[in-house]
Amino acid sequence: MRYRVLGGTGIQVSVHCLGTMMFGAVGNPDHDDCARIVHAALDQGVNFVDTADMYSAGESEIIVGKALRGRRDDVVLATKVHFPMGEGPNRGGNSRRWIVREVEESLRRLGTDWIDLYQVHRPDHSTDVEETLGVLTDLVRAGKIRAFGCSTFPAEEIVEAHHVAERRALGRFRTEQPPYSILARGVETSVLPVCQRYGMGVLVWSPLASGFLSGRYRQGRSVDLTAGRPALTPARFDPALPGNAAKYAAVEELAALAEEIGCTLPELAVAFTVAHPAVTSAIIGPRTMAQLEGLLKGASLTLDDAVLDRIDEIVPPGVNLYQPDGAWSPPALTDPARRRRPIAERAAA
């Protein structure tokens, strides 16, 4: 396993990061089996583990904490904060009030005295970014976290956060965690170049495109829309919907390319993401030991320029063939009131 420096922090992390979203009730509820997956990844040279407070309502952090007992010093441990963790208006978000409380809960669940990388899981337009950067800077000074980053932030908000940090003499986001795969290349347009400009580490999530690049969903095959990922968002997977035709067609071409160069489709997908010069590490999120072994098997795969050119022909750079599950959408798009003047003011005369 190769290692790369995480966003100028001097911390060396493995190019594959073990993601634990599937640990717990939403994926694998067997704590002992999940611990075996963690140990197997560490034994193969993975030293980077990513989780979040909201994964299975904190259960993932508990599992990770138990799995790392006796090996904590050898692991770069990352977790995230933002999503609601219970009822009430102040049990989520990016405020000082919530982050100060929730970092203690994450430390307790993880069974550790410090978090190596603490990430803001999504933007929060109700909280001034200066407020968020201020509390994260204080947590670094208190020794509770070593560095902090953001996740699924648009390029303009990353830039704003860096400007605020410079003006207010605050710590800055050292990393960004965006969705990135062959089928979702939108971040190549601005997010990845901005991260390079600011020297940020990049941990990409969903390199298998929510399972589309797992090889499980193929053109001409029936899809069970009542189980797994399709049950959550059936419209994304239903091959009968015209909007999905391009995704399934691309998967067929990519599967043929993988067979031609002698690898599996998942191996091709992950290798593509870590070939980008902005990417530090790709998060692989296995639910089972077999899935982990299959993904790690392709860790040494090198894609040459000819293969990357073929991928560019199938899915052009900067193109999203689908919107990744869980990707953040700005209020300017999701709230019609932000795009419409009062009806009495809409006419030009």
Side-chain angles (χ1 to χ4, degrees):
M1 184 62 64
R2 286 180 174 167
Y3 302 88
R4 295 171 178 170
V5 177
L6 184 65
T9 64
I11 302 171
Q12 300 271 345
V13 296
S14 50
V15 177
H16 281 182
C17 173
L18 180 65
T20 64
M21 187 177 73
M22 300 307 295
F23 289 2
V26 301
N28 187 344
D30 187 329
H31 288 206
D32 291 337
D33 189 43
C34 291
R36 285 190 288 269
I37 292 171
V38 173
H39 296 158
L42 300 185
D43 292 343
Q44 289 296 312
V46 173
N47 77 335
F48 199 9
V49 178
D50 178 77
T51 185
D53 57 358
M54 58 85 67
Y55 293 166
S56 292
E59 187 181 4
S60 174
E61 287 187 328
I62 292 171
I63 293 170
V64 169
K66 290 193 293 186
L68 294 183
R69 287 174 187 165
R71 306 186 73 167
R72 175 67 184 91
D73 288 342
D74 300 323
V75 173
V76 179
L77 180 58
T79 191
K80 298 181 283 291
V81 63
H82 167 80
F83 286 105
M85 291 294 290
E87 299 295 330
N90 292 308
R91 294 184 58 81
N94 302 345
S95 69
R96 173 177 289 271
R97 184 182 193 276
W98 176 244
I99 290 175
V100 165
R101 173 172 176 175
E102 189 58 12
V103 71
E104 297 293 345
E105 290 297 304
S106 285
L107 289 168
R108 177 185 60 80
R109 287 188 293 261
L110 291 165
T112 186
D113 294 327
W114 82 97
I115 294 163
D116 294 291
L117 178 64
Y118 199 47
Q119 301 157 101
V120 178
H121 213 154
R122 292 293 188 276
D124 175 8
H125 283 169
S126 68
T127 304
D128 192 316
V129 69
E130 182 179 344
E131 177 87 358
T132 303
L133 293 173
V135 64
L136 293 171
T137 301
D138 289 344
L139 291 176
V140 170
R141 291 169 177 162
K144 295 183 184 295
I145 65 176
R146 299 294 187 255
F148 55 86
C150 51
S151 174
T152 320
F153 272 48
E156 64 272 16
E157 299 209 18
I158 296 173
V159 171
E160 180 189 4
H162 278 276
H163 286 179
V164 170
E166 183 177 5
R167 288 198 308 269
R168 301 301 188 189
L170 298 171
R172 61 188 180 92
F173 288 137
R174 289 290 189 173
T175 62
E176 158 63 10
Q177 187 179 132
Y180 182 46
S181 71
I182 298 176
L183 298 184
R185 302 184 63 175
V187 295
E188 292 176 339
T189 302
S190 54
V191 170
L192 295 186
V194 163
C195 289
Q196 287 178 291
R197 177 172 295 182
Y198 286 105
M200 297 172 68
V202 175
L203 301 64
V204 298
W205 58 266
S206 198
L208 298 187
S210 299
F212 264 103
L213 298 177
S214 69
R216 187 180 309 142
Y217 310 108
R218 299 289 296 274
Q219 203 170 49
R221 297 181 187 175
S222 61
V223 177
D224 183 359
L225 299 176
T226 65
R229 292 271 190 174
L232 299 175
T233 52
R236 294 178 181 271
F237 292 86
D238 189 348
L241 297 179
N244 291 329
K247 289 184 285 189
Y248 279 102
V251 167
E252 291 306 307
E253 292 189 68
L254 292 167
L257 176 59
E259 184 176 1
E260 181 182 325
I261 66 174
C263 70
T264 67
L265 182 56
E267 290 171 357
L268 176 73
V270 177
F272 166 81
T273 63
V274 299
H276 195 290
V279 174
T280 309
S281 187
I283 297 173
I284 55 174
R287 181 177 54 83
T288 67
M289 184 69 77
Q291 290 174 350
L292 173 71
E293 292 171 347
L295 290 167
L296 291 180
K297 183 181 177 183
S300 61
L301 177 64
T302 298
L303 304 182
D304 61 25
D305 288 345
V307 171
L308 292 173
D309 288 343
R310 291 274 299 279
I311 292 174
D312 287 349
E313 293 172 0
I314 297 169
V315 182
V319 169
N320 277 345
L321 288 186
Y322 86 118
Q323 180 74 350
D325 289 328
W328 182 80
S329 295
L333 298 182
T334 58
D335 182 2
R338 292 175 179 258
R339 304 190 306 275
R340 301 171 184 173
R341 290 178 178 272
I343 192 166
E345 301 175 10
R346 293 177 189 172

